[in-house]
Amino acid sequence: AEVLNSLRQQGPFFTTYSTVYDPKARAISIFNLANFNEVRTFRLAEELAKKPKTYRLAKIFDESPDIDEIREMEPRRDFGTRVTLSAEILDRYTGVYRPAPDVTVRVEREGDELRVHGPEGVAHLFAESERVFRLAPDRGQVSFTVAADGSVDGMTLHKQADLYAARVGDL
């Protein structure tokens, strides 16, 4: 709960729920919205033995934060996960990417960070690991796909849904 709470997003694009999977115990634990004091755990064997059922998260928790309050919160800008990468590593990711047939975006290095220039403007990327970057401010994550030979062949935007963009050229 502490780790999930430290990584949750708030503001217009907020975390709606968080899950923890325990394959050994065959259980799934769920936290609703920003409430990390209350958890509901489902045992898979018990749930599969029941008739099919749909759960509404707000109904199975005693307390649910107000969604409008979460949306109005200042978006989180610091996740405490920023790492510094060399210019050589950052330069591997620069290039032109195509997320849709008629859309291209450019990834450029500026100093110790990457910037994405796309149809909606410029976004900053700061590294959380060698291949995963936070899209700032608080607009998701981007992970780069690296082939066995070390070349970068695409990137995926993780925000509400995953959107893959193939690398189509250099700058």
Side-chain angles (χ1 to χ4, degrees):
E2 185 178 325
V3 170
L4 291 171
N5 188 31
S6 71
L7 296 173
R8 74 178 167 86
Q9 295 189 30
Q10 57 196 36
F13 304 105
F14 59 92
T15 301
T16 54
Y17 64 92
S18 300
T19 56
V20 176
Y21 299 93
D22 183 347
K24 203 174 227 182
R26 294 194 213 164
I28 299 172
S29 297
I30 302 173
F31 298 90
N32 189 33
L33 296 169
N35 179 3
F36 291 93
N37 296 318
E38 187 177 8
V39 62
R40 293 293 179 255
T41 300
F42 294 89
R43 307 261 175 239
L44 294 179
E46 294 170 16
E47 293 301 316
L48 293 172
K50 298 177 185 177
K51 291 182 182 178
K53 184 174 182 177
T54 301
Y55 293 97
R56 294 189 52 81
L57 286 179
K59 300 286 185 194
I60 64 171
F61 288 89
D62 296 329
E63 296 180 24
S64 288
D66 183 274
I67 292 175
D68 290 331
E69 288 179 14
I70 295 172
R71 280 190 182 121
E72 292 171 7
M73 294 172 84
E74 181 69 25
R76 184 174 293 208
R77 298 179 196 288
D78 182 10
F79 288 82
T81 57
R82 188 173 191 150
V83 298
T84 302
L85 299 178
S86 68
E88 178 183 44
I89 292 172
L90 292 173
D91 286 341
R92 285 194 317 182
Y93 302 121
T94 63
V96 179
Y97 295 81
R98 180 165 287 132
D102 56 344
V103 177
T104 59
V105 296
R106 290 184 340 272
V107 176
E108 300 175 352
R109 180 174 65 86
E110 290 190 27
D112 64 348
E113 68 177 30
L114 296 175
R115 295 195 185 194
V116 178
H117 300 264
E120 296 183 18
V122 179
H124 301 268
L125 292 177
F126 66 84
E128 293 187 304
S129 72
E130 188 170 324
R131 294 183 185 171
V132 178
F133 292 73
R134 175 72 49 195
L135 186 60
D138 195 26
R139 293 187 287 184
Q141 282 183 316
V142 170
S143 60
F144 288 91
T145 308
V146 178
D149 66 1
S151 64
V152 177
D153 53 15
M155 67 179 186
T156 302
L157 169 64
H158 309 282
K159 178 183 165 184
Q160 297 170 340
D162 290 347
L163 175 63
Y164 179 76
R167 185 176 182 162
V168 294
D170 295 324
L171 294 177

